[in-house]
Amino acid sequence: MLTSLSIKNYALIDQLQVQFNNGFSIITGETGAGKSILLGGLSLVLGKRADLSSLKDNSQKCIIEAVFDIANYNLKTLFEAEDLDYETQTIIRREILPSGKSRAFVNDSPVNLNSLQSLGERLIDIHSQHQTLELTNNDFQFQIIDALANNESLLQNYKQELKQYKRLQNELGELAQHQAEAIKEHDYNAFLLNELTEANLVEGEITALEEEYEMLNNVEAIKEKLAESYQLLGEEHMGIVATLTTLKNSLQKLASMSSKYEDVFNRVNSSLIDLDDVYGEIDTYQEHLEANPARLEEVNAKLQKLHNLMQKHVVTEVSELIAIKNQLEEKVAFTENLDGAIKAKQTEITAKSKELNRLAESIHKKRTEVIPALISQLQDILKDLGMPNAQFKIEAVLGNTFYVNGKDELSFLFSANKGGNFNELKKAASGGELSRIMLAIKSILSKYIQLPTIMFDEIDTGVSGEISNKMGDIMLEMSKTMQVFSITHLPQIAAKGHSHYKVFKEDVEEVTQTNLVKLNHDERVVEIAQMLGGTDMSSSAIAHAKELLN
């Protein structure tokens, strides 16, 4: 509830400070006294955009501050979402600087207008002729029915499931898009992969192949050099092995004569053993070395293929070709597996759709169960408000589309006259009738959900005294569970308030100012008497005022 309001340097208000009570509060004042200014200032606190022309003195800043008791409003989650400090006594302050800049604070934490509007909607509902158009809005009509049907929990579950359902649909769409794009590239990727697979790539194989190619391509030259080497080593009289054998035998004799020759003998002997080994290996090479044109062609073809692939893929190593092959395997496998992924996603969507349908049907069932009671309550209240022939035809039909609040198509039709045709509210009801319908709806809602503070701005315009009396009774009844304000020109309503505030203008040092004061009992008698009979109050007007108050 709104507990206090402070306004400084706004429009015709120099400085105003007022405390408010729970229950039913009345605000009265002559036309032009500044009730709209008061509402304008309050709207700024609730997140309305500021205007530099609002400053009374454009050299000073405008400050509007409102204090709310929000202990029973269940707003902790909203405060957490907006990253604000939660206080049961919450202070909202709005400042308009002479430069035209505007600042807003919630419990001294700066906030943007979107955050302020989100909070403001949960604190005060300012009901004016313009706001009655909300009645014709399909979402608002659903809110009325769902409040009576106690659908809040079901709707929360439905919205969570719908969010997941839409996410799955988006994922399916992305998979389908990937598939369409991948199919275009699939054949080419598969061709490239097959080409690399057939090459039997082995990391580092080019070096080995190039060495083998050199050997096969130079068999005759190698044979010639091997034969020459074999002859140099093994020639019977002048070969290196024969010569070393003679040298070894000479040194062996010397070593037998003196130990100082043993080292030389051993070294020569070791060399002879190594050369004898080499001699044998060269002999083996000669035996196995043969020309192999087929293998030469095979090696040459493999080398050519590898060089062509490296040129094609703009790389310099077989390891890079292997990396490309692995990437192509992933792409081809991804494309080939997309069908399975799409089917799996479609299965998820089907399961989610079944759950959504189950929840939507539960929501629909509860809605259809309460609609007759809503129609009955509305028609009973409107009968008291001077609309005895008002009739509603409200139907919720289960459709095929998942909307944000279920699958129902809502028809909310109205007829003001007996035998009249039913039509949409905005076509069938006048502005005054819409106001009375809105009052009826708000009074019904107040019995089912915790509504924010509500401020009715001249909702009684154009109604008779008896009907206004009924309107006052409805607002008084609503005030048992919530804070209700009524800006009114009718004494029958003004007399029903628990508290009464008067808006008035006064000239201070030749400057007109708007002010707001709370009236005591005697002042209320005078105010209501003036509302009954004008400024020249008769004793009968005063007596009537006292009678109304009592």
Side-chain angles (χ1 to χ4, degrees), residues 301-328:
K302 180 70 181 285
L303 279 169
Q304 191 61 46
K305 188 170 192 176
L306 289 174
H307 284 298
N308 288 342
L309 285 171
M310 287 191 289
Q311 187 176 15
K312 183 175 187 175
H313 293 280
V314 197
V315 297
T316 57
E317 299 287 343
V318 173
S319 60
E320 294 175 282
L321 285 178
I322 293 172
I324 291 170
K325 175 176 168 285
N326 292 337
Q327 290 171 6
L328 287 168

Side-chain angles (χ1 to χ4, degrees), residues 1 41 114 176 207 251 262 283 335 376 438 447 450 479 507:
M1 60 171 277
N114 288 336
T207 302
L251 289 173
E262 284 182 3
D283 187 36
T335 304
S376 176
M438 179 62 97
K447 298 172 185 175
Q450 177 63 54
S479 73
D507 294 334

Side-chain angles (χ1 to χ4, degrees), residues 5 7 13 15-20 26-28 33-35 38 485 500-506 513-519:
L5 178 66
I7 301 177
I13 297 173
Q15 188 154 348
L16 179 152
Q17 176 105 28
V18 62
Q19 306 292 318
F20 296 109
I26 300 297
I27 299 175
T28 59
K35 295 185 292 294
L38 185 68
F485 287 88
H500 190 152
Y501 301 86
K502 181 176 181 178
V503 181
F504 63 94
K505 283 182 182 177
E506 60 181 347
Q513 294 183 4
T514 289
N515 213 331
L516 175 72
V517 294
K518 184 178 181 181
L519 303 180

Side-chain angles (χ1 to χ4, degrees), residues 191-254:
F191 166 75
L192 292 177
L193 176 61
N194 185 58
E195 195 175 46
L196 290 171
T197 302
E198 286 181 348
N200 293 317
L201 301 172
V202 178
E203 193 167 344
E205 69 177 326
I206 277 191
T207 302
L209 287 168
E210 286 176 342
E211 287 179 2
E212 187 179 359
Y213 176 81
E214 285 298 318
M215 187 185 72
L216 291 169
N217 197 41
N218 295 286
V219 168
E220 295 304 322
I222 292 170
K223 274 185 176 182
E224 184 184 328
K225 293 300 178 184
L226 284 174
E228 184 181 330
S229 300
Y230 187 78
Q231 187 177 2
L232 285 169
L233 285 166
E235 205 269 327
E236 189 174 351
H237 298 295
M238 298 297 294
I240 295 171
V241 173
T243 303
L244 269 178
T245 301
T246 303
L247 177 60
K248 170 200 159 189
N249 292 335
S250 296
L251 289 173
Q252 189 175 19
K253 290 177 181 178
L254 285 172

Side-chain angles (χ1 to χ4, degrees), residues 415-443:
S415 173
N417 304 306
K418 191 175 286 188
N421 294 325
F422 284 93
N423 211 331
E424 295 176 18
L425 272 172
K426 60 185 175 184
K427 296 177 180 178
S430 66
E433 287 170 338
L434 280 176
S435 289
R436 280 178 271 179
I437 294 169
M438 179 62 97
L439 176 60
I441 285 171
K442 296 283 186 181
S443 71

